[in-house]
Amino acid sequence: MSEATRNLPRLGPELVAGLPRAVRRPAYDRKALAAGMAHLGVGAFHRCHQAEYTDDLLERSFGRWGVVGVNIRNPRLAPSLGSQDGLYTRLTRQDDSVEARVVGSIVKVVDSQESSAPALAVLSSPDIEVVTLTVTEKGYCHKPASGQLDLNNPDIVHDLEHPDLPRSVPGILARALDRRRRSHGKPLTLLSCDNIPSNGEILAKAVGALAARIGDALPDWIAHNAAFPSSMVDRIAPATSPADTAMVAQRHGYRDAAVVVGEPFRQWVIEERFAGRFPRWDRVGASFVDDVAPYEILKMRVLNGAQTTLCYLGVFAGHEHTCDDMKDPLLVRFVRRMLTEETLPTLGPVPGISAERYVEQSLERLRNTAIKHRNHQIATDGSQKIVQRLLNPIRERLRRGQDVALLSVAVAGWMAYLVRASDRFGSAWSADDPYAASVAAIAGRAGDDCQALASAILGLDAIFDAELASSPVFRAAIVRGLQGFLAGDPMAYLAHVCERPGGAQLNLATGTG
Ligand code: CS2
């Protein structure tokens, strides 16, 4: 931090009234705002999305929906949001234009990294009636291929043995629900906002498994007093960079340790199934619907599918961010073909949305040059993302006897990314994925033999179910992709795939190209 920046005032309640006019500020009396809900996993996404919707709602019709932000994993919230009384600046950026707003909906933050006790105190409080969650895909401790709780996950093993000292998200929620049952008995809505299909059901199942271990009448109480609606959330909000923080200081003259940056677009579709009172986010742009599935499938397969595909191909091409990938005509050509030729036909009707237009709109969003979303950030935890983004459409197409050559290139991209991160392949970068070590071990054993590599990676059954792993068509496409990305020039391989009419056509009977 420069000397000049260090001397600037820090964002906090005293500063709000004196904020420059260019910065929008909470238009309600924050001092009168009571906490009515909690959020688990306060990162850039929550601050750019749910907290902003809540800020809009408080402006429109003030009510008791202040948010208590809770982190059970790093980063700690006290030094950033905590020391600013929950206030932070949310920038939205589109190419050269920037809009700044101070959001006031988070009224308190609680760090619960060392022990679950502080989190449990918040979640079991009678004042809290809704809990929203962004804990990343792996926070649910499920097997992505099946949606079942992963009983080998170390935190789940721990929580099943010590349900009174939980560490995992489902373990903490089960314990909190038990405390509610034993004390005031007030209902609770647990609203998942992570990019997992049927996220409400996955959460309910995970919490249910741990609640059954706590025993007594807890599962029955949960059935009558808790709701786990599914929701689809959308806004591209990369990790904040030092340049974003510096921008606030330079343009607006104050220091803020919790700045977030997002694109202008935002969307929130919520299954209308609540256990008690709930914030009327539908009054400020969110949609309450009976069935979230068509929206989440569209978003995960198209927008997220494109992001995941581009992040691996982009790293191979030497690009840093999604917006850089989108300046590379070959990558754009590939991703557009994959989406239109293979992904689009797997989508059912989505009320009020044209899927074709959605593809173009998504590609347009990814072009936004002000959103510096690092390829390596999106590549993080790819094993938890590829099922809903790439493998589910592949599965559906294979069942219908359709080609999967292009989607398989993207899956091979994920594999090659982890393989190239391993010692055996020169540790090209460090990969952050729960399966990075397994794939590195496989790479060490298989060496340059892409057949052996493909077979062993497809054997990871938490990711690839048996039917998919045994498809000769899929397997052959993966082998070709691995050869293309590991043996020669990855971009020459991609160009070759793109040149072929109708994608890399496969002989469906033999799976050969
Ligand atoms: C991204 C998402 O890192 C990732 O996995 O694909 O965070 C994506 O930006 C959001 O889902 C957009 O709503």
Side-chain angles (χ1 to χ4, degrees):
M1 200 190 298
S2 70
E3 184 65 19
T5 306
R6 204 167 303 125
N7 291 333
L8 293 175
R10 177 87 179 258
L11 179 61
E14 318 71 44
L15 199 77
V16 171
L19 282 172
R21 285 164 65 95
V23 181
R24 179 171 157 187
R25 71 201 70 172
Y28 49 88
D29 180 8
R30 266 192 100 228
K31 285 200 285 307
L33 182 58
M37 65 179 147
H39 182 82
L40 210 50
V42 182
F45 190 78
H46 171 66
R47 304 208 294 279
C48 249
H49 192 272
Q50 303 92 39
E52 184 193 280
Y53 275 94
T54 303
D55 207 50
D56 285 347
L57 177 60
L58 293 168
E59 260 183 33
R60 206 193 129 126
S61 49
F62 188 77
R64 47 173 310 286
W65 292 117
V67 180
V68 182
V70 181
N71 271 10
I72 61 164
R73 308 273 181 257
N74 284 335
R76 293 180 65 78
L77 296 168
S80 54
L81 274 180
S83 59
Q84 298 176 180
D85 194 39
L87 292 164
Y88 63 95
T89 312
R90 191 282 286 126
L91 302 176
T92 48
R93 301 191 60 182
Q94 176 70 46
D95 302 317
D96 294 333
S97 63
V98 187
E99 221 191 77
R101 165 176 185 177
V102 166
V103 173
S105 54
I106 300 180
V107 290
K108 188 179 162 191
V109 290
V110 171
D111 281 307
S112 195
Q113 290 87 355
E114 281 84 37
S115 130
S116 54
L120 286 171
V122 174
L123 300 171
S124 57
S125 152
D127 296 335
I128 300 299
E129 295 178 58
V130 173
V131 179
T132 51
L133 294 93
T134 49
V135 292
T136 79
E137 293 85 347
K138 68 181 176 214
Y140 294 74
C141 308
H142 68 303
K143 293 190 193 170
S146 62
Q148 299 300 328
L149 189 65
D150 182 358
L151 296 172
N152 295 321
N153 177 305
D155 286 343
I156 296 299
V157 172
H158 173 274
D159 289 1
L160 287 169
E161 274 169 28
H162 310 283
D164 46 332
L165 295 169
R167 284 181 190 162
S168 70
V169 170
I172 290 174
L173 293 174
R175 194 75 201 158
L177 287 164
D178 192 44
R179 284 214 196 159
R180 298 178 77 89
R181 178 181 75 86
R182 289 170 187 274
S183 48
H184 50 81
K186 278 200 174 175
L188 186 69
T189 297
L190 301 100
L191 178 59
S192 167
C193 302
D194 283 290
N195 287 316
I196 304 176
S198 313
N199 49 17
E201 270 172 51
I202 300 279
L203 183 65
K205 244 195 276 179
V207 172
L210 289 143
R213 185 59 66 105
I214 295 174
D216 287 338
L218 184 56
D220 190 52
W221 187 85
I222 290 177
H224 292 98
N225 296 283
F228 298 84
S230 287
S231 83
M232 180 276 254
V233 290
D234 196 5
R235 173 170 258 172
I236 299 175
T240 306
S241 72
D244 302 322
T245 307
M247 176 185 252
V248 169
Q250 278 152 16
R251 290 198 176 198
H252 303 303
Y254 62 90
R255 279 184 298 135
D256 179 350
V259 172
V260 282
V261 181
E263 59 172 340
F265 180 95
R266 67 172 195 182
Q267 195 179 10
W268 196 3
V269 183
I270 304 170
E271 184 184 2
E272 190 164 9
R273 190 149 60 86
F274 301 96
R277 291 191 289 181
F278 55 90
R280 292 297 305 269
W281 290 301
D282 57 324
R283 293 185 177 151
V284 288
S287 315
F288 286 174
V289 301
D290 291 336
D291 184 11
V292 173
Y295 302 92
E296 67 183 21
I297 290 173
L298 176 74
K299 190 253 174 171
M300 286 179 206
R301 293 187 188 183
V302 175
L303 180 85
N304 292 149
Q307 289 176 300
T308 283
T309 302
L310 287 169
C311 81
Y312 300 120
L313 304 182
V315 167
F316 302 158
H319 306 316
E320 179 80 14
H321 307 104
T322 308
C323 61
D324 305 322
D325 307 337
M326 290 299 291
K327 288 187 188 133
D328 184 328
L330 177 59
L331 299 197
V332 176
R333 177 140 184 258
F334 176 79
V335 82
R336 178 179 274 115
R337 282 194 67 174
M338 183 190 88
L339 295 176
T340 51
E341 292 174 29
E342 296 192 0
T343 307
L344 260 186
T346 70
L347 302 169
V350 189
I353 298 179
S354 142
E356 285 78 10
R357 256 202 310 256
Y358 186 88
V359 167
E360 289 312 316
Q361 182 194 32
S362 299
L363 294 175
E364 213 38 60
R365 289 167 60 194
L366 298 177
R367 263 192 203 104
N368 185 345
T369 52
I371 298 295
K372 304 289 187 200
H373 209 173
R374 292 183 64 244
N375 285 321
H376 286 296
Q377 187 193 344
I378 301 169
T380 299
D381 293 341
S383 60
Q384 315 292 301
K385 299 174 179 173
I386 58 169
V387 172
Q388 52 275 28
R389 300 180 184 199
L390 303 169
L391 301 182
N392 286 347
I394 288 179
R395 252 188 225 131
E396 287 170 24
R397 291 181 64 82
L398 286 172
R399 276 188 208 128
R400 294 185 210 138
Q402 294 168 337
D403 195 3
V404 294
L406 301 173
L407 284 161
S408 304
V409 167
V411 177
W414 167 71
M415 294 180 182
Y417 176 82
L418 292 189
V419 169
R420 289 177 64 181
S422 69
D423 290 356
R424 175 71 181 73
F425 282 76
S427 309
W429 39 76
S430 94
D432 187 355
D433 188 302
Y435 284 84
S438 315
V439 173
I442 290 171
R445 285 194 301 273
D448 297 332
D449 180 350
C450 288
Q451 298 273 358
L453 206 51
S455 299
I457 301 176
L458 291 173
L460 298 171
D461 62 3
I463 306 166
F464 302 96
D465 66 279
E467 188 188 341
L468 181 59
S470 62
S471 156
V473 173
F474 179 54
R475 189 174 179 284
I478 291 295
V479 172
R480 272 200 313 278
L482 284 173
Q483 283 162 345
F485 288 139
L486 296 174
D489 171 358
M491 291 306 110
Y493 165 67
L494 201 65
H496 168 72
V497 171
C498 275
E499 270 160 25
R500 301 174 75 167
Q505 287 292 350
L506 278 182
N507 177 333
L508 288 177
T510 63
T512 53

